[in-house]
Amino acid sequence: MADHEEDLRTALRMSMQNSPPEPKRSKPRDGPAGAPTGLPEESSEVKTRRLQRELMATAAEKRMLDAKKASPSPSSVSGSAGSSGSGLAAKVVRKDKELSLEEVNLGKGLSEEDAKQLFSMVFGAEVTKGILAQWSNQGIRFSPDPETSMGLVQHEGGPCGVLAAIQAFVLKYLLFCPAELGKVVPNMHHDMGSRTLSNSPCVASNNFASLTEDAKARALIRSMGEILFLCGSNKRAVIATLSVIGDDTERSKDSLDDEVITKSLEGLSIESAADLHKVLRVNTYTTRESAFKRLQAVIPVFQSRMGALLFLISALLSRGLDLVQADRDDPSLPLVTAPFGHASQEIVNLLLCGQAVPNVFDGKMDLGGGMSLKGVSRTVEVGFLTLLESLNFCKVGQYLKCPKWPIWVVGSESHYTVLFSLDTTVQDENELEGRESQIRKAFDAQDQSGGGGFISVEGFHQVLKETNVELPTEKVDLLCSTGFIVWSEFWQVILDLDKSLGGLKDSTGLMGKKVFDLYHFNGIAKSDLNGSQISSGGETPVQRPRLTKLRVSVPPRWTPEEYMTDVAVSSGSGGNESGGKATEIAKPEPSQHAPLVDCIRTRWPRAVCNWIGYPPSIV
C-alpha cells in the first residue's frame, strides 16, 4: 500500500511538470491541516481514494490548459501577456478546479464548540425526542398532486416555517421570474429597491399542473441559493450536508438518488451536539455559480428526511452563529420553540430578510435607557402576514406587509402557510391609499408602545405637521384629552376629514372598489381539515396539500361601517362618479369568513373574501 501511495504521488508530480505556472494545490478539503481533533484518523483506503481524485483533477486541469493553449479564446488571448495574464490563468484554474471537485467534496466538519453552540441555539438544553424527530423527518419535496404540484408538502409539524419561506421564493421564480430558471447564474443582485412593479405589470399563469419537474427543481435550487446568500449578506453561502451520504456520492455522481440516500440515513438520528459534530459537513461558497452547482449536485440530500433541518443549519451558518445571536433580543431562548417544536419568528425572518430578528415591525424600537427591540430593516422580496396582528398582539411593518412581489408567508398560532397573487398590480396604490400609507407611517414612527396603536400628544402634533393634516381645534383637543392618541380614533377623524384638509373623505368617488384574486397554499399533509372532512368506516381523514382561490373585494376607504355588513359598493370601478352624488350601493356578493380573512384584512382593511369549497386553513 505504501508503494502504491508513492506511485500516486510520483504520478501527481509528473503530471504537473512542464505546465504553465499555476498556484500550488491546496490540501483536500476533506482532510485539511488543523482539522478539529476528535475526528477518526484517515485510513489508508481513504488516503488512496483522495490521491486518486487529486490525480484525476490535475490531469483534467492539464488537458484543459493544453486545449486553451491550442485554441485560445478571445478573453484568454487578451489576458495572456505578462504577469497579469498568469494571474488570470491561475484564477481560472482555481475556479474550474473548485467546480470539478464540488460534487465529491465532503466538506469540513464543525468543531465541537461550534456544534454545541449550533445545537443549543436551535433546540436548547431541554428539547424532547419528539421535537428532534419532527425536524429529522421532513424533506423539501414538491406535492405529487397535479393541482398543487408547485407546492412543497409537509408531513411533520414544526419545520413549516422553513418550508413556507422556501415556498414563497419558489413561487417568485415560477410565477414572475421564469426566465431566470434557464440561467446558470440568475440575476439575483439586490439592487432592485427602486423597481416599481406597476410600471411593468405582470400576470402569471395559474396552470400549475403544466409546470415541468425541471422547472420546479430549478426554482427550488435558485430559491435555496438566494436565501442562503441573503443570510450571508450576499457575500457567501454555506451548504450543510452529511458525511454518511458523502461516502456514497464520492464513488459515483449517479449514485446520489433516493434509494442510496434512504439507505445511508438508516439508523441516523440527531439527538445531541455530538451527533452534529460527528455527521455534519459544510462547504462555503463565495460565488453564486459555485453554490448553485453544489445545490444542484446535492438537491436529493435536501429532499431526504433531513432536508429541512440541513437547510436551517445552512442558513444559520451562512449568517454566522455569532451574528444570529446578535440579531436576537433574547439569545438564551432556542430558535425552535417549546413545547411543540415550531419554527420561531426569528427563523422565518432570517429566511425572509437575512437577519434573525424577533419582531415584524420596521426598524428598531427604542425603549429608553439604551435598550431597543430589533425589527426588519430592509425591503424584502416576499413578505409576511400574521393572524396575531388581527388579534392586536403585534404590528407587521410595511417592509414585510408590502414586499417586492405579491407573495406572503402567513403565520398563525401554530402553522405557516403561503398567500400569493398572480397579478403584480394588486399592491399598487392610488392617490388616497398612498395618502393613508403616508399618515400611518408617520403615526407608527411615533408609536413607542410596541405596536399598540397609540402615541403621545407631542408625537401627535409631530404627525400632524409631517402629514399636513389640518384638524379643527375642537377635534385636536378631543383626541388629546386623555393624554395619548389612539390610532383607531385618529383614523376615524381622517376618514371624516375632507381631502382638501389632508383627510381621506372624497365625495367624487374617484377611488372605487378593488376586486382581485388571491391564492392560498397549505402544504400540510397529516391531519383532517379543521374537522370538516367526514370519513367513512371510522378512519381518520388525511389532509392533502390544498390550494384555495379567493375572490377579494376591497371597498372604498370612506364606506360607512354600517353598510359593510349588509351592503357593498357596486362592482363598478368607482361607483357613481357624477358630480357630488353619493356612491352607489348595492347588494354584496355573499361574504365568507375564515381566520385567513382576518390576515388578509391586515393588508387590505375591510376586505370581503369568497371561495368555493372548503374554507382555506391556516392551521
Side-chain angles (χ1 to χ4, degrees):
M1 182 62 71
D3 293 339
H4 184 58
E5 289 185 18
E6 183 58 31
D7 290 341
L8 288 173
R9 295 180 186 276
T10 302
L12 178 61
R13 288 194 298 269
M14 292 178 64
S15 69
M16 298 178 68
Q17 290 178 0
N18 301 320
S19 299
E22 61 176 334
K24 292 184 179 179
R25 181 177 302 281
S26 61
K27 292 183 180 292
R29 294 184 187 178
D30 51 355
T37 59
L39 294 176
E41 185 176 353
E42 197 176 48
S43 66
S44 298
E45 183 180 357
V46 173
K47 287 181 179 178
T48 300
R49 288 204 305 268
R50 171 168 57 79
L51 291 172
Q52 287 173 338
R53 294 200 307 271
E54 290 286 303
L55 178 57
M56 288 187 290
T58 303
E61 291 167 15
K62 188 174 186 301
R63 288 195 299 270
M64 178 190 69
L65 292 175
D66 288 342
K68 285 187 176 183
K69 285 165 47 178
S71 56
S73 64
S75 59
S76 62
V77 170
S78 63
S80 60
S83 58
S84 62
S86 299
L88 178 60
K91 290 181 181 179
V92 172
V93 171
R94 284 199 300 271
K95 182 176 180 181
D96 288 336
K97 176 168 54 178
E98 179 185 16
L99 297 181
S100 66
L101 291 177
E102 276 179 356
E103 292 179 357
V104 297
N105 186 2
L106 300 186
K108 296 181 180 180
L110 288 182
S111 67
E112 291 186 21
E113 181 180 354
D114 286 343
K116 288 180 181 179
Q117 183 182 4
L118 176 62
F119 188 87
S120 176
M121 179 188 302
V122 175
F123 294 114
E126 300 179 358
V127 63
T128 65
K129 289 187 177 181
I131 291 177
L132 291 171
Q134 290 174 197
W135 282 85
S136 299
N137 288 282
Q138 179 60 62
I140 305 174
R141 286 180 174 270
F142 285 99
S143 167
D145 298 335
E147 63 273 17
T148 57
S149 62
M150 82 304 162
L152 301 176
V153 61
Q154 180 188 351
H155 297 287
E156 294 290 337
C160 54
V162 173
L163 294 181
I166 299 173
Q167 177 72 73
F169 279 90
V170 166
L171 288 169
K172 165 193 162 181
Y173 281 100
L174 290 177
L175 298 179
F176 304 117
C177 308
E180 297 287 349
L181 300 181
K183 299 180 180 180
V184 177
V185 184
N187 181 20
M188 285 171 38
H189 300 296
H190 290 262
D191 55 358
M192 303 168 70
S194 60
R195 180 182 66 219
T196 303
L197 295 179
S198 58
N199 290 340
S200 55
C202 171
V203 180
S205 169
N206 64 350
N207 187 12
F208 303 119
S210 67
L211 294 170
T212 66
E213 293 300 318
D214 181 66
K216 292 189 295 184
R218 288 176 178 270
L220 179 59
I221 291 169
R222 295 302 188 265
S223 300
M224 293 169 64
E226 179 173 358
I227 292 172
L228 294 181
F229 269 100
L230 181 63
C231 296
S233 300
N234 296 319
K235 296 178 181 178
R236 67 170 188 172
V238 176
I239 300 175
T241 54
L242 301 169
S243 60
V244 293
I245 294 177
D247 289 337
D248 289 293
T249 62
E250 72 173 319
R251 296 192 187 103
S252 169
K253 175 183 176 181
D254 297 331
S255 69
L256 192 58
D257 56 28
D258 288 348
E259 184 178 351
V260 170
I261 293 175
T262 300
K263 185 176 180 181
S264 299
L265 294 179
E266 288 180 357
L268 175 65
S269 61
I270 303 295
E271 298 183 355
S272 66
D275 292 333
L276 283 181
H277 173 61
K278 180 180 179 181
V279 302
L280 200 64
R281 296 294 181 269
V282 297
N283 286 293
T284 301
Y285 300 92
T286 57
T287 66
R288 286 180 170 82
E289 182 180 7
S290 60
F292 285 117
K293 284 183 177 292
R294 176 62 171 172
L295 285 170
Q296 184 175 12
V298 299
I299 195 63
V301 180
F302 288 100
Q303 294 173 327
S304 76
R305 66 177 179 87
M306 300 294 294
L309 178 58
L310 286 174
F311 188 76
L312 172 59
I313 290 173
S314 299
L316 293 170
L317 294 177
S318 295
R319 175 63 174 160
L321 300 185
D322 291 338
L323 283 178
V324 169
Q325 293 295 70
D327 290 338
R328 308 173 66 195
D329 288 339
D330 187 353
S332 65
L333 297 176
L335 291 170
V336 172
T337 63
F340 302 112
H342 298 139
S344 64
Q345 189 65 49
E346 293 151 310
I347 289 177
V348 175
N349 283 350
L350 173 66
L351 303 182
L352 295 183
C353 70
Q355 296 177 314
V357 293
N359 302 296
V360 292
F361 52 72
D362 292 341
K364 288 185 178 181
M365 182 175 296
D366 187 7
L367 301 179
M371 299 180 62
S372 63
L373 298 176
K374 305 180 188 73
V376 177
S377 61
R378 66 189 71 169
T379 302
V380 295
E381 294 285 310
V382 296
F384 180 77
L385 302 175
T386 176
L387 182 64
L388 298 180
E389 180 174 2
S390 69
L391 301 174
N392 293 320
F393 286 114
C394 66
K395 173 66 179 176
V396 178
Q398 292 300 299
Y399 287 143
L400 289 175
K401 194 168 284 184
C402 303
K404 292 180 181 178
W405 303 100
I407 306 170
W408 297 265
V409 172
V410 176
S412 68
E413 303 97 324
S414 60
H415 191 41
Y416 293 99
T417 54
V418 179
L419 182 74
F420 61 97
S421 174
L422 305 179
D423 186 354
T424 57
T425 64
V426 298
Q427 296 204 97
D428 289 354
E429 290 185 334
N430 57 36
E431 178 186 356
L432 292 184
E433 285 177 310
R435 178 63 173 155
E436 179 198 348
S437 297
Q438 177 194 18
I439 296 172
R440 185 70 206 232
K441 185 176 182 180
F443 188 95
D444 288 346
Q446 300 295 329
D447 187 352
Q448 301 298 314
S449 65
F454 57 89
I455 60 178
S456 65
V457 172
E458 180 182 358
F460 178 59
H461 286 289
Q462 182 65 27
V463 170
L464 296 180
K465 180 179 178 181
E466 291 179 1
T467 57
N468 295 318
V469 173
E470 302 176 18
L471 291 183
T473 303
E474 61 272 17
K475 289 288 186 181
V476 174
D477 294 341
L478 179 62
L479 288 172
C480 296
S481 60
T482 59
F484 57 88
I485 290 79
V486 180
W487 166 255
S488 59
E489 297 175 356
F490 177 46
W491 174 239
Q492 191 58 52
V493 172
I494 293 296
L495 289 176
D496 296 336
L497 186 66
D498 287 340
K499 180 181 175 183
S500 61
L501 299 176
L504 292 182
K505 187 177 180 181
D506 182 12
S507 59
T508 66
L510 294 179
M511 189 178 93
K513 180 175 70 172
K514 281 186 171 183
V515 180
F516 53 89
D517 293 331
L518 293 176
Y519 291 80
H520 178 257
F521 176 73
N522 186 350
I524 195 71
K526 59 176 291 188
S527 62
D528 68 307
L529 180 60
N530 290 340
S532 60
Q533 292 182 353
I534 301 176
S535 62
S536 59
E539 296 181 358
T540 302
V542 176
Q543 177 181 337
R544 304 178 71 86
R546 292 191 66 246
L547 181 67
T548 305
K549 180 179 178 180
L550 300 96
R551 189 70 166 173
V552 181
S553 302
V554 183
R557 305 286 178 172
W558 60 84
T559 305
E561 289 290 343
E562 58 265 26
Y563 289 119
M564 290 301 297
T565 56
D566 299 319
V567 294
V569 177
S570 169
S571 59
S573 62
N576 188 340
E577 289 116 1
S578 57
K581 294 179 67 175
T583 305
E584 179 184 354
I585 57 176
K587 290 294 183 182
E589 301 170 355
S591 61
Q592 295 169 282
H593 185 265
L596 176 63
V597 176
D598 294 327
C599 296
I600 292 173
R601 286 175 178 168
T602 66
R603 175 62 181 84
W604 291 279
R606 303 196 297 176
V608 176
C609 300
N610 303 274
W611 57 83
I612 298 175
Y614 291 117
S617 172
I618 59 175
V619 297

